[in-house]
Amino acid sequence: MSSGYSSLEEDAEDFFFTARTSFFRRAPQGKPRSGQQDVEKEKETHSYLSKEEIKEKVHKYNLAVTDKLKMTLNSNGIYTGFIKVQMELCKPPQTSNSGKLSPSSNGCMNTLHISSTNTVGEVIEALLKKFLVTESPAKFALYKRCHREDQVYACKLSDREHPLYLRLVAGPRTDTLSFVLREHEIGEWEAFSLPELQNFLRILDKEEDEQLQNLKRRYTAYRHKLEEALREVWKPD
């Protein structure tokens, strides 16, 4: 199975992985963090596009396609097409065949054939299944990388967003919009194992005890000096 790009003229069984399709509409997520207004705008537009508007956008998209990866609109208003996802992983994940994802697969561009109803969560699952990754999909996130006004920014997509819709709105050019698979950004302590965290607690307890002993010694010394000064003051002539 190839992890790179291939045209539709080649055997799709060997080069494309189709995410499972769900025909149930998801409820929209809450408003994203500041700086992601464009994502929210696209999600709102997605909720109100008519079949005619979708048909027009699919037609314009296909006219702009240069790599034969066109979209297909079905009679029920659901459309299918292709997205490309780049792997940007800090460390190779566990797999069921060789134990680790091949380093050559990291950084490569993967082409997935999906439906407009497929969510970000389903796309992540499809990518992990393609590379036989055994780690939980919850450890990974799909990012949207945009190029606007000579600036590049990336934002994490929620699991219920629809990547193919984002692709349709942005057009086929990957220099305008691209998708990246990364590990979740985790907190400082989440990166450590349970034994490591327990060891940190033991170290903290030891340091706390040492600090308490130092404080006791300091105030004991102060007490002795104060008592000595008092004895000098009240010493009878």
Coordinates of all heavy atoms in Angstrom, one line a residue, residues 138-219:
A138 N -7.8 9.3 19.8 CA -7.9 10.5 20.7 C -6.6 11.2 20.9 O -6.5 12.3 21.3 CB -8.5 10.1 22.0
K139 N -5.5 10.5 20.6 CA -4.1 11.0 20.7 C -3.7 11.9 19.6 O -2.7 12.6 19.6 CB -3.1 9.9 20.9 CG -3.2 9.1 22.2 CD -2.1 8.1 22.3 CE -2.1 7.3 23.6 NZ -1.0 6.4 23.7
F140 N -4.6 12.0 18.5 CA -4.2 12.7 17.3 C -5.3 13.8 17.0 O -6.4 13.7 17.5 CB -4.1 11.8 16.1 CG -3.1 10.7 16.3 CD1 -3.4 9.5 16.9 CD2 -1.7 10.9 16.0 CE1 -2.5 8.5 17.2 CE2 -0.8 9.9 16.2 CZ -1.2 8.7 16.8
A141 N -4.9 14.8 16.2 CA -5.7 15.9 15.9 C -5.5 16.3 14.4 O -4.3 16.1 13.9 CB -5.6 17.1 16.8
L142 N -6.5 16.7 13.7 CA -6.4 17.2 12.3 C -6.4 18.7 12.4 O -7.3 19.3 13.0 CB -7.5 16.7 11.5 CG -7.4 16.9 10.0 CD1 -6.2 16.0 9.4 CD2 -8.7 16.6 9.2
Y143 N -5.4 19.3 11.7 CA -5.2 20.7 11.7 C -5.5 21.3 10.3 O -5.2 20.6 9.3 CB -3.8 21.1 12.1 CG -3.6 21.0 13.6 CD1 -3.4 19.8 14.2 CD2 -3.6 22.2 14.4 CE1 -3.1 19.7 15.6 CE2 -3.4 22.1 15.8 CZ -3.1 20.8 16.3 OH -2.9 20.7 17.7
K144 N -6.1 22.4 10.3 CA -6.3 23.2 9.0 C -5.2 24.2 8.9 O -5.1 25.1 9.8 CB -7.7 23.8 9.0 CG -8.0 24.8 8.0 CD -9.3 25.5 8.3 CE -9.5 26.7 7.5 NZ -10.8 27.4 7.8
R145 N -4.5 24.2 7.8 CA -3.4 25.2 7.6 C -3.8 26.1 6.5 O -4.1 25.6 5.3 CB -2.1 24.5 7.3 CG -0.9 25.5 7.0 CD 0.3 24.7 6.7 NE 0.9 23.9 7.8 CZ 1.7 22.9 7.7 NH1 2.0 22.4 6.5 NH2 2.1 22.3 8.7
C146 N -3.9 27.4 6.8 CA -4.4 28.3 5.8 C -3.3 29.4 5.4 O -2.5 29.7 6.2 CB -5.6 29.1 6.3 SG -7.1 28.0 6.6
H147 N -3.4 29.8 4.2 CA -2.5 30.8 3.7 C -3.3 32.0 3.2 O -4.1 31.9 2.2 CB -1.7 30.3 2.5 CG -0.9 29.1 2.8 ND1 0.5 29.1 2.8 CD2 -1.2 27.8 3.0 CE1 1.0 27.9 3.1 NE2 -0.1 27.1 3.3
R148 N -3.2 33.1 4.0 CA -4.0 34.3 3.7 C -3.2 35.5 3.9 O -2.6 35.7 5.0 CB -5.3 34.3 4.5 CG -6.3 33.2 4.1 CD -7.5 33.2 4.9 NE -8.4 32.1 4.6 CZ -9.4 31.7 5.3 NH1 -9.7 32.3 6.4 NH2 -10.2 30.7 4.9
E149 N -3.2 36.4 2.9 CA -2.5 37.7 3.0 C -1.1 37.6 3.4 O -0.6 38.2 4.4 CB -3.3 38.6 4.0 CG -4.7 39.0 3.6 CD -5.4 39.8 4.6 OE1 -4.8 40.1 5.7 OE2 -6.5 40.2 4.4
D150 N -0.4 36.7 2.7 CA 1.0 36.4 3.0 C 1.3 35.9 4.4 O 2.5 35.9 4.8 CB 1.9 37.6 2.7 CG 1.8 38.1 1.3 OD1 1.6 37.2 0.4 OD2 1.8 39.3 1.0
Q151 N 0.3 35.4 5.1 CA 0.5 34.8 6.4 C 0.0 33.3 6.4 O -0.9 33.0 5.7 CB -0.2 35.6 7.5 CG 0.4 37.0 7.6 CD -0.2 37.7 8.8 OE1 -1.2 37.3 9.4 NE2 0.4 38.8 9.2
V152 N 0.6 32.5 7.2 CA 0.2 31.1 7.4 C -0.2 30.9 8.8 O 0.6 31.3 9.7 CB 1.4 30.2 7.0 CG1 0.9 28.7 7.1 CG2 1.9 30.4 5.6
Y153 N -1.3 30.3 9.0 CA -1.7 29.9 10.4 C -2.4 28.6 10.3 O -3.0 28.2 9.3 CB -2.7 31.0 11.0 CG -4.1 31.0 10.4 CD1 -5.1 30.3 11.0 CD2 -4.4 31.8 9.3 CE1 -6.4 30.3 10.5 CE2 -5.7 31.9 8.8 CZ -6.7 31.1 9.4 OH -7.9 31.1 8.9
A154 N -2.4 27.9 11.5 CA -3.0 26.6 11.6 C -3.9 26.5 12.8 O -3.6 27.1 13.8 CB -1.9 25.5 11.7
C155 N -5.0 25.9 12.7 CA -5.9 25.7 13.8 C -6.4 24.3 13.8 O -6.6 23.7 12.8 CB -7.1 26.7 13.8 SG -8.2 26.6 12.4
K156 N -6.6 23.8 15.1 CA -7.1 22.4 15.2 C -8.6 22.4 14.9 O -9.4 23.2 15.4 CB -6.8 21.9 16.6 CG -7.2 20.5 16.9 CD -6.7 20.0 18.2 CE -7.5 20.7 19.4 NZ -7.1 20.1 20.7
L157 N -9.0 21.4 14.1 CA -10.4 21.2 13.8 C -11.1 20.3 14.8 O -10.5 19.4 15.4 CB -10.5 20.6 12.4 CG -9.9 21.4 11.2 CD1 -10.0 20.5 10.0 CD2 -10.6 22.7 11.1
S158 N -12.3 20.6 15.1 CA -13.1 19.8 16.0 C -13.4 18.5 15.3 O -13.5 18.4 14.1 CB -14.4 20.5 16.5 OG -15.3 20.6 15.4
D159 N -13.7 17.4 16.1 CA -13.9 16.1 15.6 C -15.2 16.0 14.7 O -15.3 15.1 13.9 CB -14.0 15.1 16.7 CG -12.7 14.7 17.3 OD1 -11.7 15.0 16.6 OD2 -12.6 14.1 18.4
R160 N -16.1 17.0 14.8 CA -17.3 17.0 14.1 C -17.4 17.8 12.8 O -18.4 17.9 12.2 CB -18.5 17.3 15.0 CG -18.7 16.3 16.1 CD -20.0 16.6 16.9 NE -20.3 15.6 17.9 CZ -21.3 15.6 18.7 NH1 -22.2 16.5 18.6 NH2 -21.5 14.6 19.6
E161 N -16.3 18.5 12.6 CA -16.2 19.3 11.3 C -16.1 18.4 10.1 O -15.6 17.2 10.3 CB -15.1 20.3 11.4 CG -15.4 21.4 12.4 CD -14.4 22.6 12.3 OE1 -14.4 23.3 11.3 OE2 -13.6 22.8 13.2
H162 N -16.4 18.9 9.0 CA -16.3 18.1 7.7 C -15.2 18.6 6.8 O -15.4 19.7 6.2 CB -17.7 18.2 7.0 CG -18.8 17.7 7.9 ND1 -19.4 18.5 8.8 CD2 -19.5 16.5 7.9 CE1 -20.4 17.8 9.4 NE2 -20.4 16.6 8.9
P163 N -14.1 17.9 6.7 CA -13.0 18.3 5.9 C -13.3 18.5 4.4 O -12.8 19.4 3.8 CB -12.0 17.2 6.1 CG -12.3 16.5 7.4 CD -13.8 16.6 7.4
L164 N -14.1 17.7 3.8 CA -14.4 17.8 2.4 C -15.2 19.1 2.1 O -15.0 19.7 1.1 CB -15.2 16.6 1.9 CG -15.3 16.6 0.4 CD1 -13.9 16.4 -0.2 CD2 -16.2 15.4 -0.1
Y165 N -16.0 19.6 3.1 CA -16.7 20.8 2.9 C -15.7 22.0 2.9 O -15.7 22.9 2.1 CB -17.7 21.1 4.0 CG -18.2 22.5 4.0 CD1 -19.1 22.9 3.0 CD2 -17.8 23.4 5.0 CE1 -19.6 24.2 3.0 CE2 -18.2 24.7 4.9 CZ -19.1 25.1 4.0 OH -19.5 26.4 4.0
L166 N -14.7 21.9 3.9 CA -13.7 22.9 3.9 C -12.9 23.0 2.6 O -12.5 24.0 2.1 CB -12.7 22.7 5.1 CG -13.4 22.7 6.5 CD1 -12.4 22.4 7.6 CD2 -14.0 24.1 6.8
R167 N -12.6 21.8 2.1 CA -11.9 21.7 0.8 C -12.7 22.3 -0.3 O -12.2 23.0 -1.2 CB -11.6 20.2 0.5 CG -10.9 19.9 -0.8 CD -9.4 20.1 -0.6 NE -9.0 21.5 -0.8 CZ -7.9 22.0 -0.4 NH1 -7.0 21.3 0.2 NH2 -7.6 23.3 -0.6
L168 N -14.0 22.1 -0.3 CA -14.9 22.6 -1.4 C -14.9 24.1 -1.3 O -14.8 24.8 -2.4 CB -16.3 22.0 -1.2 CG -17.4 22.6 -2.1 CD1 -17.1 22.2 -3.6 CD2 -18.8 22.1 -1.7
V169 N -15.0 24.7 -0.2 CA -15.1 26.1 0.0 C -13.8 26.8 -0.4 O -13.8 27.9 -1.1 CB -15.5 26.5 1.4 CG1 -15.4 28.0 1.7 CG2 -16.9 26.1 1.7
A170 N -12.7 26.2 0.0 CA -11.4 26.8 -0.3 C -10.9 26.6 -1.7 O -10.0 27.3 -2.2 CB -10.3 26.2 0.7
G171 N -11.5 25.6 -2.4 CA -11.0 25.3 -3.7 C -9.9 24.2 -3.6 O -9.4 23.8 -2.6
P172 N -9.4 23.7 -4.8 CA -8.5 22.6 -4.8 C -7.0 22.9 -4.5 O -6.2 22.0 -4.3 CB -8.6 22.1 -6.2 CG -9.0 23.3 -7.0 CD -9.9 24.1 -6.2
R173 N -6.7 24.2 -4.5 CA -5.3 24.6 -4.3 C -4.8 24.3 -2.8 O -5.4 24.8 -1.9 CB -5.0 26.0 -4.6 CG -5.2 26.3 -6.1 CD -5.0 27.8 -6.4 NE -3.7 28.3 -5.9 CZ -3.4 29.6 -6.0 NH1 -4.1 30.5 -6.6 NH2 -2.2 30.0 -5.5
T174 N -3.8 23.5 -2.7 CA -3.3 23.2 -1.4 C -2.4 24.3 -0.8 O -2.1 24.3 0.4 CB -2.4 21.9 -1.4 OG1 -1.4 22.0 -2.4 CG2 -3.3 20.7 -1.7
D175 N -2.0 25.3 -1.6 CA -1.3 26.4 -1.1 C -2.2 27.4 -0.4 O -1.8 28.3 0.2 CB -0.4 27.1 -2.1 CG -1.3 27.6 -3.3 OD1 -2.4 27.2 -3.4 OD2 -0.7 28.4 -4.1
T176 N -3.6 27.2 -0.6 CA -4.6 28.0 0.0 C -5.1 27.4 1.3 O -5.2 28.0 2.3 CB -5.8 28.3 -0.9 OG1 -5.3 28.9 -2.1 CG2 -6.8 29.2 -0.2
L177 N -5.3 26.1 1.2 CA -5.7 25.3 2.4 C -5.1 23.9 2.3 O -5.1 23.3 1.3 CB -7.3 25.2 2.4 CG -7.9 24.2 3.4 CD1 -7.7 24.7 4.8 CD2 -9.3 23.9 3.1
S178 N -4.6 23.4 3.4 CA -4.1 22.1 3.5 C -4.4 21.5 4.9 O -4.8 22.2 5.8 CB -2.6 22.1 3.3 OG -1.9 22.9 4.2
F179 N -4.3 20.2 5.0 CA -4.7 19.5 6.2 C -3.4 18.8 6.7 O -2.6 18.2 6.0 CB -5.8 18.4 6.0 CG -7.1 19.0 5.6 CD1 -7.5 19.0 4.3 CD2 -7.9 19.7 6.5 CE1 -8.7 19.5 3.9 CE2 -9.1 20.3 6.1 CZ -9.5 20.2 4.8
V180 N -3.3 18.8 8.1 CA -2.1 18.2 8.7 C -2.5 17.3 9.9 O -3.4 17.8 10.7 CB -1.1 19.3 9.2 CG1 0.1 18.7 9.9 CG2 -0.7 20.2 8.1
L181 N -2.0 16.1 10.0 CA -2.2 15.3 11.1 C -1.1 15.4 12.1 O 0.1 15.2 11.8 CB -2.4 13.8 10.7 CG -2.7 12.8 11.8 CD1 -4.1 13.0 12.3 CD2 -2.5 11.4 11.4
R182 N -1.4 15.7 13.4 CA -0.4 15.9 14.4 C -0.9 15.2 15.7 O -2.1 14.9 15.8 CB -0.2 17.4 14.7 CG 0.4 18.2 13.6 CD 0.5 19.6 13.9 NE 1.0 20.5 12.9 CZ 1.0 21.8 12.9 NH1 0.5 22.4 13.9 NH2 1.6 22.5 11.9
E183 N 0.0 15.0 16.6 CA -0.4 14.6 17.9 C -1.1 15.8 18.6 O -0.9 16.9 18.3 CB 0.8 14.2 18.8 CG 1.6 13.0 18.3 CD 2.8 13.3 17.4 OE1 2.8 14.5 16.9 OE2 3.7 12.5 17.3
H184 N -2.0 15.4 19.6 CA -2.6 16.5 20.4 C -1.6 17.2 21.2 O -0.6 16.7 21.6 CB -3.6 15.8 21.4 CG -5.0 15.8 20.9 ND1 -5.7 16.9 20.5 CD2 -5.9 14.8 20.7 CE1 -6.9 16.6 20.1 NE2 -7.0 15.3 20.2
E185 N -1.8 18.6 21.3 CA -0.9 19.3 22.2 C -1.4 19.0 23.6 O -2.5 19.3 24.0 CB -1.1 20.8 21.9 CG -0.6 21.2 20.5 CD -0.8 22.7 20.2 OE1 -1.3 23.4 21.1 OE2 -0.4 23.2 19.1
I186 N -0.4 18.5 24.4 CA -0.8 18.0 25.7 C -0.1 18.9 26.7 O 0.8 19.7 26.4 CB -0.3 16.6 25.9 CG1 1.2 16.4 25.7 CG2 -1.1 15.6 25.0 CD1 1.7 15.1 26.0
G187 N -0.7 18.9 27.9 CA -0.2 19.7 29.0 C 1.2 19.2 29.5 O 1.7 18.2 29.1
E188 N 1.8 20.0 30.4 CA 3.2 19.8 30.8 C 3.3 18.4 31.5 O 4.2 17.6 31.3 CB 3.6 20.9 31.8 CG 5.0 20.6 32.4 CD 5.3 21.7 33.4 OE1 4.5 22.6 33.6 OE2 6.4 21.7 34.0
W189 N 2.3 18.1 32.4 CA 2.4 16.8 33.2 C 1.8 15.6 32.4 O 2.2 14.5 32.8 CB 1.7 17.0 34.5 CG 2.3 18.1 35.3 CD1 1.7 19.3 35.7 CD2 3.6 18.1 35.9 NE1 2.6 20.0 36.4 CE2 3.7 19.3 36.6 CE3 4.6 17.2 36.0 CZ2 4.9 19.6 37.3 CZ3 5.8 17.5 36.7 CH2 5.9 18.7 37.3
E190 N 1.0 15.9 31.4 CA 0.4 14.7 30.7 C 1.5 14.0 29.8 O 1.2 12.9 29.4 CB -0.7 15.2 29.8 CG -1.9 15.8 30.5 CD -2.9 16.3 29.6 OE1 -3.0 15.9 28.4 OE2 -3.7 17.2 30.0
A191 N 2.6 14.6 29.7 CA 3.7 13.9 28.9 C 4.4 12.8 29.7 O 5.2 12.1 29.1 CB 4.7 15.0 28.4
F192 N 4.2 12.7 31.0 CA 4.9 11.8 31.8 C 4.0 10.6 32.2 O 2.8 10.7 32.2 CB 5.4 12.5 33.1 CG 6.4 13.6 32.9 CD1 5.9 14.9 32.8 CD2 7.7 13.4 32.7 CE1 6.8 16.0 32.6 CE2 8.6 14.4 32.5 CZ 8.1 15.7 32.4
S193 N 4.7 9.5 32.4 CA 4.0 8.3 32.8 C 3.6 8.3 34.3 O 4.2 9.2 35.0 CB 4.9 7.1 32.5 OG 6.0 7.1 33.3
L194 N 2.8 7.4 34.7 CA 2.3 7.4 36.1 C 3.5 7.1 37.0 O 3.6 7.8 38.1 CB 1.3 6.3 36.3 CG 0.7 6.2 37.7 CD1 0.1 7.5 38.1 CD2 -0.3 5.0 37.7
P195 N 4.4 6.2 36.8 CA 5.6 6.0 37.7 C 6.4 7.3 37.8 O 6.9 7.6 38.9 CB 6.4 4.9 37.0 CG 5.3 4.1 36.3 CD 4.4 5.1 35.7
E196 N 6.6 8.0 36.7 CA 7.4 9.2 36.7 C 6.7 10.3 37.6 O 7.3 11.0 38.4 CB 7.6 9.8 35.3 CG 8.5 9.0 34.5 CD 8.6 9.4 33.0 OE1 7.5 9.8 32.5 OE2 9.7 9.4 32.4
L197 N 5.4 10.4 37.4 CA 4.6 11.4 38.3 C 4.7 11.0 39.7 O 4.8 11.9 40.6 CB 3.2 11.4 37.8 CG 2.9 12.0 36.4 CD1 1.5 11.9 36.0 CD2 3.3 13.5 36.4
Q198 N 4.6 9.7 40.1 CA 4.7 9.3 41.5 C 6.1 9.6 42.0 O 6.2 10.0 43.2 CB 4.4 7.8 41.6 CG 3.0 7.4 41.3 CD 2.7 5.9 41.2 OE1 3.6 5.2 40.9 NE2 1.5 5.5 41.4
N199 N 7.1 9.4 41.2 CA 8.5 9.8 41.6 C 8.6 11.3 41.9 O 9.3 11.7 42.8 CB 9.5 9.3 40.6 CG 10.9 9.4 41.0 OD1 11.3 9.0 42.1 ND2 11.8 10.1 40.2
F200 N 8.0 12.1 41.0 CA 8.0 13.5 41.3 C 7.4 13.9 42.6 O 7.8 14.8 43.3 CB 7.2 14.3 40.1 CG 7.9 14.2 38.8 CD1 7.2 14.3 37.6 CD2 9.3 14.1 38.7 CE1 7.8 14.2 36.4 CE2 10.0 14.0 37.5 CZ 9.2 14.1 36.3
L201 N 6.3 13.2 43.0 CA 5.6 13.4 44.2 C 6.5 13.1 45.4 O 6.6 13.8 46.4 CB 4.3 12.6 44.3 CG 3.1 13.1 43.5 CD1 2.0 12.2 43.6 CD2 2.7 14.5 43.9
R202 N 7.3 12.0 45.3 CA 8.2 11.6 46.4 C 9.3 12.7 46.5 O 9.7 13.0 47.6 CB 8.8 10.2 46.1 CG 7.8 9.1 46.3 CD 8.6 7.8 46.3 NE 9.0 7.4 44.9 CZ 8.3 6.7 44.1 NH1 7.1 6.3 44.4 NH2 8.8 6.4 42.9
I203 N 9.8 13.2 45.4 CA 10.8 14.2 45.4 C 10.3 15.5 46.0 O 10.9 16.1 46.9 CB 11.3 14.5 44.0 CG1 12.1 13.3 43.4 CG2 12.2 15.7 44.0 CD1 12.5 13.4 42.0
L204 N 9.0 15.9 45.7 CA 8.4 17.0 46.3 C 8.2 16.9 47.8 O 8.5 17.8 48.6 CB 7.1 17.3 45.6 CG 7.1 17.8 44.2 CD1 5.7 17.9 43.6 CD2 7.8 19.2 44.1
D205 N 7.8 15.7 48.2 CA 7.6 15.4 49.6 C 9.0 15.6 50.4 O 9.0 16.1 51.5 CB 7.1 14.0 49.9 CG 5.6 13.9 49.5 OD1 4.9 15.0 49.4 OD2 5.1 12.8 49.2
K206 N 10.0 15.1 49.8 CA 11.4 15.1 50.4 C 11.8 16.6 50.5 O 12.3 17.0 51.5 CB 12.3 14.3 49.6 CG 13.8 14.3 50.1 CD 14.7 13.5 49.3 CE 16.1 13.5 49.9 NZ 17.0 12.7 49.0
E207 N 11.6 17.4 49.4 CA 12.0 18.8 49.4 C 11.2 19.6 50.4 O 11.7 20.5 51.1 CB 11.9 19.4 48.0 CG 12.9 18.8 47.0 CD 12.7 19.4 45.6 OE1 11.7 20.1 45.4 OE2 13.5 19.2 44.7
E208 N 9.9 19.2 50.5 CA 9.0 19.9 51.5 C 9.5 19.7 52.9 O 9.6 20.6 53.7 CB 7.6 19.5 51.3 CG 6.6 20.2 52.3 CD 5.2 19.6 52.2 OE1 5.0 18.6 51.5 OE2 4.3 20.2 52.7
D209 N 9.9 18.4 53.2 CA 10.4 18.1 54.5 C 11.7 18.8 54.8 O 11.9 19.3 55.9 CB 10.6 16.6 54.6 CG 11.0 16.1 56.0 OD1 10.2 16.3 56.9 OD2 12.1 15.6 56.1
E210 N 12.6 18.9 53.8 CA 13.8 19.6 54.0 C 13.6 21.1 54.3 O 14.3 21.6 55.1 CB 14.7 19.4 52.8 CG 15.3 18.0 52.6 CD 16.1 17.8 51.3 OE1 16.1 18.7 50.5 OE2 16.7 16.7 51.2
Q211 N 12.7 21.7 53.5 CA 12.4 23.1 53.7 C 11.8 23.3 55.1 O 12.2 24.3 55.8 CB 11.4 23.6 52.7 CG 12.0 23.6 51.3 CD 13.2 24.6 51.2 OE1 13.2 25.7 51.8 NE2 14.2 24.3 50.3
L212 N 10.9 22.4 55.6 CA 10.4 22.6 56.9 C 11.4 22.5 58.0 O 11.4 23.2 59.0 CB 9.3 21.5 57.1 CG 8.0 21.7 56.4 CD1 7.1 20.5 56.6 CD2 7.3 23.0 56.9
Q213 N 12.4 21.5 57.8 CA 13.5 21.4 58.8 C 14.3 22.6 58.8 O 14.8 23.0 59.9 CB 14.3 20.1 58.5 CG 13.5 18.8 58.6 CD 13.0 18.6 60.0 OE1 13.6 18.9 61.0 NE2 11.8 18.0 60.1
N214 N 14.6 23.2 57.7 CA 15.4 24.4 57.6 C 14.7 25.5 58.3 O 15.4 26.3 59.0 CB 15.7 24.8 56.1 CG 16.7 23.9 55.5 OD1 17.5 23.2 56.1 ND2 16.6 23.8 54.2
L215 N 13.4 25.7 58.1 CA 12.7 26.7 58.8 C 12.7 26.5 60.3 O 12.8 27.5 61.0 CB 11.2 26.8 58.3 CG 11.0 27.4 56.9 CD1 9.5 27.2 56.4 CD2 11.3 28.9 56.9
K216 N 12.5 25.3 60.7 CA 12.5 25.0 62.2 C 13.9 25.4 62.8 O 14.0 25.9 63.9 CB 12.2 23.5 62.4 CG 10.8 23.2 62.2 CD 10.5 21.7 62.5 CE 9.1 21.3 62.3 NZ 8.8 19.9 62.5
R217 N 15.0 25.0 62.1 CA 16.3 25.3 62.6 C 16.5 26.8 62.6 O 17.1 27.4 63.6 CB 17.4 24.7 61.7 CG 17.5 23.2 61.9 CD 18.8 22.7 61.3 NE 18.7 22.7 59.8 CZ 18.2 21.7 59.1 NH1 17.8 20.6 59.7 NH2 18.2 21.8 57.8
R218 N 16.0 27.6 61.6 CA 16.2 29.0 61.6 C 15.5 29.7 62.8 O 16.0 30.5 63.5 CB 15.7 29.6 60.3 CG 16.6 29.4 59.1 CD 15.9 30.0 57.9 NE 15.6 31.4 58.1 CZ 14.8 32.2 57.2 NH1 14.3 31.6 56.1 NH2 14.6 33.4 57.5
Y219 N 14.2 29.3 63.0 CA 13.4 29.9 64.1 C 13.9 29.4 65.5 O 13.8 30.2 66.4 CB 11.9 29.7 63.9 CG 11.4 30.6 62.8 CD1 11.2 30.1 61.5 CD2 11.1 31.9 63.0 CE1 10.7 30.9 60.5 CE2 10.6 32.7 62.0 CZ 10.4 32.2 60.8 OH 9.9 33.0 59.8

